[in-house]
Amino acid sequence: MPNAWLEVSQDGTVKIWCGKSEIGQGVRTALPMIVAEELSCDWRRVQVVQADLDPKYGDQLTGGSLSVRTSYDNLRKAGAAAREMLISAAAREWYVERSACRAENGSVIHLSTQKRFLYAQLVTLAAGISPPNDPPLKNPSDFKLIGKPSRRTDSFAKVTGAAKFGLDTRLPGMFIASVVRSPVYGGTPSELCSPCPRGVRSEVRPSDASIRRDLRARQPQLLLRWRGCCRRFDLGRRAGAKTSQGRME
């Protein structure tokens, strides 16, 4: 029973996708906790998956301490929608009103008889139910995960070195790019190393037209190198200038 943010498998495992980058702030724990809170699932059965670049995960910008604040409402609704679909599936199986059922710790319980369906038993039926547009959200006073201490889901992988970061990616024929800037504002490249030093695959110098189009490229750049490579810049009238003496024009 999938949606963009979570998947409940027939073995009872819950996968929750994290749409923000983990850079030490704990989003791979905090964001899944928000989904799991509304889903009422067993936190020990949750697997966290890093989202890819699919547009269905929305804006994946990470910065400004905004990940939880900007994701909070949407993730709560995603978890609540899945919970309501599972409750509806159980009510159909028992031929009772939805109000007679409650989701709790990875199960749906029939309140009067205490009968119980595990989420895994309801997945197939729930997948055929349309998700509600505006599912009811829990009262914060009933929270069991949000705002409570929890061990980070990726701590073990990080301390053992098993965690993979973007910097660890290596692909066949891949170039590693580096930006080389003038040491002073307004400097222009005056000399390129030719032939390329050992280890340097290729160099690209942006055209003057592309620099003019990009206002942020006022410090001309040389791109695409493997390792450090010396460059010379024409520093113009700012040769010998210090940062404290400079000003933007």
Side-chain angles (χ1 to χ4, degrees):
M1 188 191 72
N3 65 27
W5 297 105
L6 63 93
E7 176 183 295
V8 182
S9 302
Q10 292 184 337
D11 64 356
T13 299
V14 178
K15 291 183 180 179
I16 297 178
W17 275 257
C18 177
K20 300 294 183 179
S21 297
E22 172 57 55
I23 50 177
Q25 79 283 42
V27 293
R28 284 176 60 87
T29 302
L31 300 187
M33 284 175 68
I34 297 171
V35 181
E37 181 70 76
E38 289 292 348
L39 182 59
S40 296
C41 64
D42 183 350
W43 181 239
R44 295 169 297 180
R45 301 296 304 275
V46 171
Q47 297 179 5
V48 181
V49 182
Q50 189 66 43
D52 58 24
L53 298 180
D54 194 307
K56 67 185 178 183
Y57 296 109
D59 180 8
Q60 296 190 43
L61 173 68
T62 303
S65 299
L66 294 173
S67 292
V68 171
R69 281 186 285 170
T70 59
S71 304
Y72 186 74
D73 290 338
N74 287 337
L75 295 183
R76 286 189 68 188
K77 289 178 180 178
R83 180 195 69 226
E84 294 303 299
M85 293 164 68
L86 290 161
I87 290 175
S88 294
R92 291 184 184 184
E93 285 291 290
W94 286 320
Y95 297 97
V96 298
E97 296 293 328
R98 293 184 70 264
S99 58
C101 306
R102 182 183 71 227
E104 179 181 289
N105 201 29
S107 303
V108 178
I109 301 171
H110 184 225
L111 298 176
S112 62
T113 64
Q114 291 299 296
K115 291 181 179 179
R116 180 185 300 261
F117 275 128
L118 298 175
Y119 284 172
Q121 298 172 286
L122 298 169
V123 167
T124 302
L125 181 58
I129 298 175
S130 298
N133 293 324
D134 191 20
L137 302 178
K138 290 184 178 180
N139 189 311
S141 63
D142 296 326
F143 285 169
K144 293 181 173 60
L145 291 174
I146 295 177
K148 306 297 190 295
S150 181
R151 182 175 297 177
R152 291 194 179 189
T153 59
D154 53 359
S155 295
F156 184 80
K158 286 182 175 179
V159 299
T160 59
K164 299 299 181 184
F165 296 85
L167 191 63
D168 299 317
T169 302
R170 293 292 184 272
L171 299 173
M174 185 178 77
F175 283 90
I176 297 177
S178 179
V179 177
V180 180
R181 292 186 172 89
S182 169
V184 299
Y185 175 74
T188 57
S190 61
E191 182 179 341
L192 302 179
C193 294
S194 181
C196 293
R198 182 180 179 182
V200 177
R201 291 292 185 89
S202 64
E203 298 170 344
V204 175
R205 177 179 177 179
S207 67
D208 292 340
S210 70
I211 292 177
R212 287 195 296 269
R213 286 195 300 267
D214 187 353
L215 296 179
R216 294 173 299 178
R218 291 188 178 182
Q219 295 185 23
Q221 303 163 357
L222 301 172
L223 308 177
L224 294 183
R225 65 173 186 170
W226 280 102
R227 298 185 179 89
C229 185
C230 295
R231 300 290 187 273
R232 290 187 180 180
F233 288 85
D234 180 0
L235 305 184
R237 61 189 178 87
R238 292 186 175 85
K242 297 181 180 180
T243 303
S244 60
Q245 299 171 335
R247 65 185 179 88
M248 297 297 291
E249 296 179 352

